[in-house]
Amino acid sequence: MTTLLISLVALAAEGVAQPPKPALAPSEIVAAAPTADWVEIAPTDLLVMTLASGKQAIIQLIPPPFSLGWVGNIRTLATARWWDGLSINRVQDNYVVQWGDASEKKALPAGLAAMGEISYETPLASPGFNPFSKKDAYAAATGFLKGWPVAASMPSPQSGKARSRSARQPSFSKFWPIHCYGMVGVGRNLSPDTGSGAELYAVIGHAPRHLDRNIAVVGRVISGIEHLSSLSRGTGALGFYEKAEERVLITSIRVASELPTSDQPRFEYLSTESKSFAAYADARANRRDAFFIRPAGGADICNIPVPVRKKI
Amino acid sequence: MTTLLISLVALAAEGVAQPPKPALAPSEIVAAAPTADWVEIAPTDLLVMTLASGKQAIIQLIPPPFSLGWVGNIRTLATARWWDGLSINRVQDNYVVQWGDASEKKALPAGLAAMGEISYETPLASPGFNPFSKKDAYAAATGFLKGWPVAASMPSPQSGKARSRSARQPSFSKFWPIHCYGMVGVGRNLSPDTGSGAELYAVIGHAPRHLDRNIAVVGRVISGIEHLSSLSRGTGALGFYEKAEERVLITSIRVASELPTSDQPRFEYLSTESKSFAAYADARANRRDAFFIRPAGGADICNIPVPVRKKI
């Protein structure tokens, strides 16, 4: 309702009778959000990936409590310059772009955490979770946490936790990050392997939510995804490039905090606990701006991308 | 359950104790489907789009009762060779590739139906609809009809139709096609304009379901989507190319039935009423093949792409 109210208020201020204006578009709500609703992303949470073409993609690492071991490994790998000179080896349409060591022989740096077979779900204090929808095929609920799309499960009916709560105020038990467009995950071999973080992919198609809780989500591309999503698709099985010369060379991947201050990219995201975000999410789910004739009345969590912009 | 049963039956036939085999992957179920489960697509329902590079994308037009007027117009436009020499003018990342007349001055051929402001929903006999899931943010149910992903609404509680049915056997009232990856829709100006069919787009990102019931879905790219999805993104507003020379020239768009028989592409889709499709959809929603450690227990309708293949 927020966006509708905004337009009615605007009309009242003008003090003249005229047909109701269309409500603000989601992008207009974001543009109007006050500075206080934006949260700067620490340079230690940004990776700068530079391709041989000079084009760059910037990845935000996922915050705690998600995927801690892998995210730590990724910082170690970047600091060791492990990806420099390696390549993008797989581009599968409507699925992923994947990079790492095509030879599968490059030694990993010292100091990586051994990631055993651990759960991809995390318990956490429910109050930090801002639920958005229960109409989801993959989870009891979806919502946002610290600027990220997150899914939640309910405790099983047999558990004491479930019994101690009323049906009207359910408490979620486990949480996990969602594979939306642009999300970055950790390639792995068959279970019990969970990957080290050296082999990474970014989603370039419809959200492959069947990967949720099967692979570690470690970040998201917040700038330059088009330099990955527009690459030629590989013609081998699973979209791997068949010839070495098709691979796309990676000049470097750096943690932004290791770059000279003047080269550090600065980005901020719209706080998912802000009123601006609530209005934006509502407008994404109920488009009332001029083009739309029928608001959907709901939205898939991956159709509410968290606004991220350069900090000026 | 179908795929799990298949592997247990296979084990029993072998008659030896061994660890359970992983179930078939969705692609293996499709590969094993009998010939009788495949439905050939008529050449009158296929458009062949040839780019100046020689690369081709093949579009299947949506069958009745959906979008009839626009689909008729599109056949008329192709027969009139209206798109030949025009271009792809817009590529917006995670959204659409759009083509048509950049000059907005080319006269339309005679014989196009005038598409006034009409509903994008269609009533039809429910038995033709194969429901798959009710866990959807945009519709009362999603499922399949004649090989297409389709959404359905319930009659309003006040209507006589709703009252006459029991709660256990709900009857859907209206149906509409879904904007999944690869779907083709009709560009339009602000309502009441609904577009003629001359300006078209294909989805190259996460399903933009907020467009459902706001724009006519007229087809889907069944081959060569990678030649559209890998194009350079436009840098203008909404992903339009800013310079004329960036546009991607279209050599021709033809209805396949107008091509010499030897040049006509032949494709078939897996019947969405077949047992093979039911097993495939179940396996997409519950991945039990070797890579997966945790089946999702459900799937978004756009994560169950209807299998389409060349007919040999």
Side-chain angles (χ1 to χ4, degrees):
Chain A
M1 291 304 290
T2 314
T3 56
L4 189 57
L5 284 174
I6 288 167
S7 70
L8 291 177
V9 169
L11 274 180
E14 288 170 17
V16 288
Q18 57 182 50
K21 282 185 190 174
L24 292 179
S27 60
E28 293 170 320
I29 295 169
V30 172
T35 308
D37 286 354
W38 294 88
V39 182
E40 184 164 5
I41 302 169
T44 47
D45 288 339
L46 293 177
L47 294 180
V48 179
M49 175 190 212
T50 306
L51 303 178
S53 61
K55 290 172 180 168
Q56 291 188 323
I58 296 176
I59 295 166
Q60 179 189 7
L61 296 170
I62 200 167
F66 299 116
S67 307
L68 288 169
W70 296 279
V71 169
N73 282 354
I74 288 166
R75 286 200 186 90
T76 301
L77 286 154
T79 300
R81 308 195 165 192
W82 192 79
W83 285 291
D84 297 15
L86 297 181
S87 53
I88 294 171
N89 306 311
R90 175 192 186 192
V91 183
Q92 184 171 358
D93 196 69
N94 191 19
Y95 203 44
V96 297
V97 167
Q98 188 172 326
W99 62 92
D101 173 28
S103 78
E104 300 185 38
K105 290 178 183 168
K106 184 171 181 175
L108 293 170
L112 297 189
M115 301 304 299
E117 191 171 26
I118 65 170
S119 174
Y120 295 106
E121 297 174 302
T122 310
L124 51 82
S126 285
F129 175 67
N130 183 6
F132 176 76
S133 175
K134 292 185 176 179
K135 291 184 176 178
D136 185 83
Y138 300 89
T142 58
F144 299 92
L145 183 77
K146 298 182 184 177
W148 291 73
V150 165
S153 61
M154 304 290 281
S156 62
Q158 293 76 23
S159 80
K161 188 174 181 186
R163 277 201 307 274
S164 70
R165 304 274 176 172
S166 81
R168 293 176 55 209
Q169 293 189 311
S171 177
F172 302 106
S173 63
K174 296 283 180 68
F175 299 82
W176 63 95
I178 295 174
H179 273 87
C180 293
Y181 188 91
M183 292 288 159
V184 174
V186 173
R188 64 166 173 85
N189 294 315
L190 292 185
S191 178
D193 182 56
T194 57
S196 65
E199 186 81 16
L200 296 174
Y201 63 84
V203 172
I204 58 159
H206 188 77
R209 301 265 318 263
H210 51 287
L211 298 178
D212 292 357
R213 295 192 281 185
N214 281 285
I215 296 193
V217 172
V218 290
R220 62 180 167 198
V221 180
I222 58 169
S223 175
I225 183 80
E226 68 273 19
H227 305 313
L228 304 178
S229 58
S230 65
L231 292 172
S232 293
R233 277 46 181 160
T235 50
L238 303 177
F240 278 93
Y241 289 127
E242 295 185 271
K243 298 173 186 169
E245 60 266 31
E246 294 178 289
R247 295 176 192 146
V248 178
L249 289 181
I250 296 169
T251 302
S252 63
I253 296 183
R254 294 280 180 280
V255 181
S257 56
E258 298 196 67
L259 297 173
T261 307
S262 59
D263 290 351
Q264 291 180 11
R266 298 183 67 193
F267 282 87
E268 56 189 2
Y269 69 89
L270 187 61
S271 167
T272 47
E273 282 121 64
S274 68
K275 285 186 182 174
S276 302
F277 184 84
Y280 161 79
D282 175 74
R284 290 284 304 181
N286 297 285
R287 295 293 294 261
R288 302 181 196 95
D289 40 316
F291 185 81
F292 290 85
I293 55 174
R294 180 147 192 166
D300 166 0
I301 189 77
C302 291
N303 264 330
I304 307 176
V306 175
V308 178
R309 67 180 183 188
K310 280 194 178 175
K311 185 175 173 68
I312 301 172
Chain B
M1 291 302 292
T2 315
T3 56
L4 187 58
L5 283 174
I6 288 168
S7 71
L8 291 176
V9 169
L11 273 180
E14 290 170 17
V16 288
Q18 56 181 50
K21 284 185 190 176
L24 292 180
S27 60
E28 294 170 318
I29 294 169
V30 172
T35 307
D37 286 353
W38 293 87
V39 182
E40 184 164 6
I41 302 169
T44 48
D45 288 338
L46 293 177
L47 294 181
V48 179
M49 176 189 211
T50 306
L51 304 179
S53 61
K55 290 172 179 166
Q56 290 187 323
I58 296 175
I59 295 165
Q60 179 189 7
L61 296 170
I62 200 167
F66 298 117
S67 308
L68 288 168
W70 296 280
V71 168
N73 282 354
I74 288 166
R75 286 198 186 91
T76 300
L77 287 155
T79 299
R81 309 196 165 191
W82 191 79
W83 285 291
D84 297 15
L86 297 182
S87 54
I88 294 171
N89 306 312
R90 176 190 184 192
V91 183
Q92 184 172 358
D93 196 68
N94 190 22
Y95 203 44
V96 296
V97 167
Q98 188 172 325
W99 61 93
D101 173 28
S103 78
E104 299 184 40
K105 291 180 184 169
K106 185 171 181 174
L108 293 170
L112 296 189
M115 301 304 299
E117 191 172 27
I118 65 172
S119 175
Y120 296 106
E121 299 175 299
T122 310
L124 50 81
S126 285
F129 175 68
N130 184 6
F132 176 75
S133 175
K134 293 186 175 177
K135 291 184 176 178
D136 186 81
Y138 300 89
T142 59
F144 299 92
L145 182 76
K146 299 181 185 178
W148 291 74
V150 165
S153 61
M154 304 291 279
S156 61
Q158 293 75 22
S159 80
K161 188 173 180 187
R163 278 199 308 271
S164 69
R165 306 273 178 170
S166 80
R168 290 177 58 209
Q169 294 190 310
S171 175
F172 302 106
S173 64
K174 297 284 181 68
F175 300 81
W176 62 94
I178 294 174
H179 273 88
C180 293
Y181 188 90
M183 292 290 159
V184 174
V186 173
R188 65 166 172 86
N189 294 315
L190 292 185
S191 176
D193 182 59
T194 58
S196 65
E199 185 80 17
L200 296 173
Y201 62 84
V203 173
I204 58 158
H206 188 76
R209 301 267 315 267
H210 51 289
L211 298 179
D212 291 359
R213 294 192 282 183
N214 281 285
I215 296 192
V217 172
V218 289
R220 62 181 167 197
V221 180
I222 59 169
S223 175
I225 183 80
E226 67 274 18
H227 305 313
L228 304 179
S229 58
S230 66
L231 292 173
S232 293
R233 277 47 181 159
T235 50
L238 303 177
F240 278 93
Y241 289 128
E242 295 185 270
K243 298 173 186 169
E245 61 265 31
E246 294 178 289
R247 295 177 191 145
V248 178
L249 289 181
I250 296 169
T251 302
S252 64
I253 295 182
R254 293 280 179 281
V255 181
S257 56
E258 297 196 68
L259 298 172
T261 307
S262 59
D263 290 351
Q264 291 180 9
R266 298 183 66 192
F267 281 87
E268 57 190 2
Y269 69 89
L270 187 61
S271 167
T272 47
E273 281 120 63
S274 68
K275 285 186 181 175
S276 302
F277 184 83
Y280 161 79
D282 176 76
R284 289 285 303 184
N286 297 285
R287 295 293 295 261
R288 303 180 194 93
D289 40 315
F291 185 82
F292 290 84
I293 55 175
R294 180 147 193 166
D300 167 359
I301 190 76
C302 291
N303 263 331
I304 306 176
V306 175
V308 178
R309 67 181 184 187
K310 280 194 177 172
K311 185 173 172 69
I312 302 173

